Amino acid sequence: MRFVVVIPARYRSVRLPGKPLVDLMGKSLVLRTYLQCAKVVPQEFIYVATDDERIADHCRAHGMQYIMTSPDCPTGTDRVAEVATRIPADLYVNVQGDEPLFNPGDIEVILDAARRAPGSVLNGFAPFTDEALFRNPTIPKVVMRPDGRLLYMSRGAIPTTKRLSFEGARRQICIYAFPPETLRAFAAAGGKTPLESLEDIEILRFLELGFEVQMVPLSDHSIAVDTPEDVERVLAVLRASASTD
């Protein structure tokens, strides 16, 4: 199975402008994500997908492969779909460019899942261990069937009780895997679908188009960077790690 890893990197983030180039103790967010991928994947199979020359310049300066994609891509997965039209592969692993602390072994877990379920759309999840994060609208919550297929994903605090209490839940880990035919269907939709647009969660487009999404359990220590507060959370982890080295 030939696969490539694609790291979508958009400069014009609404909540954190210039997010991929945010400095995290001397390395940018996108560089840290790339280097995590490179721990388990040969660098010739890793591409940053961007539409911004500042990110392209940064990639050249640090030896990261990159592909320029359209500025009109509404989501990172649309960016991956564009890469799929230019780089042939059997599977496209999407590692969001804002996951600088993800466990690189999770890529191998996703690849193993893809081998067991060829043709499936895959996405990672992990349990919540902190109710405050469960209440945080920047973190998508995952609701699944007993067999692990995705029922729904929301920024709302779900699932919950009639008292809206926290009884345990799961969060999305932004590592995905797509066969090329599913990416073609995703891009052919011509833009965000209604629930995808409402929730601002791109995996919902697959559900709205009638695809099944198989959720895969991954490590729970990843921190997605969407806000300045998330940057501080990542820096705290990096500082703690540096102090023990």
Side-chain angles (χ1 to χ4, degrees), residues 182-234:
T182 63
L183 287 171
R184 286 193 291 269
F186 186 93
K192 292 187 177 184
T193 47
L195 289 173
E196 175 194 9
S197 183
L198 178 68
E199 294 269 15
D200 192 22
I201 300 175
E202 61 209 71
I203 202 73
L204 290 176
R205 193 186 310 179
F206 288 105
L207 292 186
E208 292 182 85
L209 293 175
F211 289 95
E212 297 283 4
V213 177
Q214 185 67 39
M215 302 303 296
V216 180
L218 299 179
S219 306
D220 65 359
H221 59 261
S222 177
I223 299 175
V225 177
D226 290 305
T227 67
E229 292 75 21
D230 295 332
V231 173
E232 291 305 315
R233 290 172 60 211
V234 169

Side-chain angles (χ1 to χ4, degrees), residues 77 85 99 136 149 152 156 192 203 216:
T77 303
T85 66
E99 294 272 353
N136 186 336
R149 287 179 294 165
Y152 193 64
K192 292 187 177 184
I203 202 73
V216 180

Side-chain angles (χ1 to χ4, degrees), residues 1 4 7 17 22 38 41 43 50 55 60 63 100 106-108 142 174 198 206 210 221 232:
M1 177 179 66
V4 295
I7 305 171
V22 166
V41 176
Q43 292 193 37
T50 187
I55 295 174
R60 285 192 292 270
D106 284 344
I107 294 178
E108 296 177 316
V142 173
C174 290
L198 178 68
F206 288 105
H221 59 261
E232 291 305 315

